[in-house]
Amino acid sequence: MTFIGDFIGHGFTLESGIISRFFTAWPRNFAIVLFLELLIAQPLARKAMANLHK
């Protein structure tokens, strides 16, 4: 997703320093996604599966 977001934000060019931006953006993106996964996605999925298996 870091690569896709960079391509969308900066255009589909390989000369734009995508590799250098990847290493600076990856930790921030990982932290944000982990936080959202733990607080939003997992509880919703657990609730949906519990309702489905009743």
Side-chain angles (χ1 to χ4, degrees):
M1 291 307 294
T2 302
F3 281 118
I4 294 170
D6 193 77
F7 278 137
I8 292 171
H10 295 98
F12 294 98
T13 61
L14 294 175
E15 305 86 37
S16 62
I18 188 170
I19 300 299
S20 63
R21 280 196 306 270
F22 172 79
F23 289 111
T24 58
W26 184 84
R28 179 184 57 109
N29 290 349
F30 179 79
I32 291 169
V33 168
L34 181 65
F35 179 71
L36 292 175
E37 173 77 19
L38 291 173
L39 291 180
I40 296 172
Q42 284 184 7
L44 287 174
R46 259 187 247 117
K47 185 172 177 81
M49 288 311 236
N51 288 339
L52 183 67
H53 289 285
K54 279 186 180 179

